[in-house]
């Protein structure tokens, strides 16, 4: 709405940072609903926290341990976006702090990796040609791509990891592409019995392949 008063825009942005679910309901008019067919049902929330905001002095009363940072990229194609993100583990939880995505050619893919601002980035080993070509573009920026460990059951292994390895998953409100994936990634449902199957629908899952 181009005529929306400035004070409402400020309030909306503040609510987006503080309570994303309430912001989505009030300002985006999205109905409140949770569903068990969501792959990450009740596992995640939206929260603004960046690594540089965390107390690292062991003598400080707010110190809760060190953080472990990492970054990953899943290369796309003409139909699937390339998706890259930065994340960190802290105090038993997983935080996704930055992300970028888009359907791009090689130079565009390299720019997506550059946006997350990390010098060591894990990537999919099953696309070695893409990785080699993009690595050439990123070398001058001091960015190195390395193969992530991948099993034949990579999708289910990623889901199990995200469900079981951390107390909670928090996504920064600026990472809208990751939020959309978490909201719209579903289990398949048996058409005859309505039973929820342990088979994820192959859509909205690019953020989980990194």
């Amino acid at each position: 709405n181009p005529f929306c008063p400035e004070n409402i825009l400020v309030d909306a942005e503040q609510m987006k940072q503080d309570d994303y679910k309430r912001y989505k309901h009030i300002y985006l008019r999205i109905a409140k609903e949770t569903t068990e067919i969501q792959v990450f049902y009740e596992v995640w929330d939206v929260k603004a926290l960046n690594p540089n905001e965390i107390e690292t002095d062991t003598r400080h009363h707010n110190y809760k341990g060190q953080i472990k940072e990492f970054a990953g990229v899943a290369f796309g194609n003409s139909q699937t976006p390339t998706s890259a993100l930065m994340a960190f583990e802290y105090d038993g939880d997983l935080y996704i702090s930055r992300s970028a995505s888009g359907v791009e050619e090689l130079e565009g893919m390299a720019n997506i990796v550059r946006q997350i601002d990390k010098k060591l980035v894990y990537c999919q080993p099953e696309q070695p040609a893409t990785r080699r070509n993009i690595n050439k573009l990123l070398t001058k920026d001091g960015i190195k791509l390395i193969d992530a460990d991948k099993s034949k059951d990579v999708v289910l292994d990623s889901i199990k990891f995200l469900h079981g390895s951390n107390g909670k998953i928090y996504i920064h409100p600026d990472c809208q592409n990751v939020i959309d994936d978490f909201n719209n990634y579903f289990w398949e449902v048996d058409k005859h019995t309505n039973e929820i199957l342990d088979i994820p629908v192959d859509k909205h899952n690019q953020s989980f392949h990194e």
Side-chain angles (χ1 to χ4, degrees), residues 18 42 62 65 90 95 97 107-108 123 142 147 164 172 193 198 205:
D18 297 340
E42 293 189 334
N62 284 333
Y90 172 65
Y95 293 83
S97 57
E107 182 61 44
C123 65
D147 289 347
H172 195 284
T193 65
D198 287 333
N205 56 3

Side-chain angles (χ1 to χ4, degrees), residues 67-190:
I67 65 173
K68 179 183 178 182
E69 289 187 272
F70 48 92
V73 57
F75 297 118
N77 50 46
S78 60
Q79 303 297 322
T80 305
T82 291
S83 181
L85 61 78
M86 285 179 61
F88 62 94
E89 295 176 353
Y90 172 65
D91 194 26
D93 296 320
L94 176 68
Y95 293 83
I96 298 172
S97 57
R98 181 179 290 186
S99 69
S101 69
V103 178
E104 305 283 353
E105 298 298 331
L106 284 176
E107 182 61 44
M109 290 182 184
N111 283 332
I112 287 172
V113 178
R114 292 183 184 110
Q115 285 180 53
I116 61 172
D117 192 27
K118 192 73 174 172
K119 297 304 181 184
L120 188 64
V121 181
Y122 290 94
C123 65
Q124 303 155 300
E126 62 266 27
Q127 293 179 299
T130 301
R131 184 203 59 199
R132 273 197 308 273
N133 291 329
I134 293 180
N135 230 354
K136 294 177 182 177
L137 297 174
L138 295 173
T139 299
K140 62 179 179 295
D141 300 300
I143 299 172
K144 182 179 180 181
L145 300 179
I146 60 174
D147 289 347
D149 293 330
K150 294 287 186 175
S151 71
K152 64 179 181 179
D153 298 319
V154 58
V155 175
L156 289 177
D157 286 347
S158 297
I159 291 171
K160 290 176 183 177
F161 170 79
L162 291 172
H163 267 278
S165 296
N166 302 278
K168 189 85 172 183
I169 300 170
Y170 293 105
I171 307 171
H172 195 284
D174 291 343
C175 301
Q176 190 59 54
N177 62 304
V178 183
I179 293 171
D180 290 342
D181 280 350
F182 271 73
N183 265 324
N184 297 298
Y185 195 29
F186 298 117
W187 297 111
E188 289 189 10
V189 177
D190 189 290

Side-chain angles (χ1 to χ4, degrees), residues 1 11 15-16 21 34 38 53 58-60 72 81-82 98 102 114-115 142-143 153 176 178-179 190 195 207:
N1 182 355
D11 290 345
M15 186 179 293
K16 181 180 179 181
K21 290 181 179 178
T34 55
Q38 288 179 321
E53 299 171 347
T58 58
R59 299 164 296 179
H60 197 280
T82 291
R98 181 179 290 186
R114 292 183 184 110
Q115 285 180 53
I143 299 172
D153 298 319
Q176 190 59 54
V178 183
I179 293 171
D190 189 290
E195 178 186 2
S207 295

